[in-house]
Amino acid sequence: MPGFVVTVASLVNCLHQGQVRFTPRSTRVLAGGSPVVTVADVNVVALCSLAGATPPSACTRVDFTLAGSSRVFVDGQPVVLEPLGTGAGVCLAAAPQGTPVIAAVQQRAVGS
């Protein structure tokens, strides 16, 4: 499915308004001046509103495996595409907690 390439500058949140922050493994490929995100990059969810000691617990990261491009790769890893759609990305804590929400993304580089 075609979509815009997600970069480290993209605004991505969990369903509970937690902010997803990316740490790219490679900064060699840029889109809109920012490194692109691959499915292998490290990401952390900060400030998830489900923070608490009892389940459901706060989102800690997002699995973008299903949002990966089938044609565009960086260092052998598929880039993450937007729109993520239902089931394309999964917010994780102890258990899956829904799909991430992309609030803003660069609008020049498209992949499929």
Side-chain angles (χ1 to χ4, degrees), residues 35-79:
V36 300
V37 174
T38 69
V39 297
D41 289 343
V42 174
N43 68 73
V44 176
V45 177
L47 305 173
C48 177
S49 64
L50 286 180
T54 59
S57 57
C59 299
T60 56
R61 68 181 186 88
V62 179
D63 180 357
F64 287 108
T65 304
L66 297 175
S69 172
S70 60
R71 295 184 176 188
V72 183
F73 297 84
V74 173
D75 290 338
Q77 297 297 323
V79 300

Side-chain angles (χ1 to χ4, degrees), residues 4 6 11-12 24 27 32 39-40 42-43 53 56 59 71 81 83 92 94 100 105-106 109 111-112:
F4 293 112
V6 175
L11 298 177
V12 181
T27 57
V39 297
V42 174
N43 68 73
C59 299
R71 295 184 176 188
L81 301 178
L92 299 173
V105 66
Q106 61 78 34
S112 62

Side-chain angles (χ1 to χ4, degrees), residues 12-28:
V12 181
N13 298 320
C14 71
L15 286 175
H16 320 103
Q17 305 306 314
Q19 301 170 349
V20 180
R21 300 199 175 133
F22 301 100
T23 304
R25 292 182 182 199
S26 174
T27 57
R28 295 176 10 178

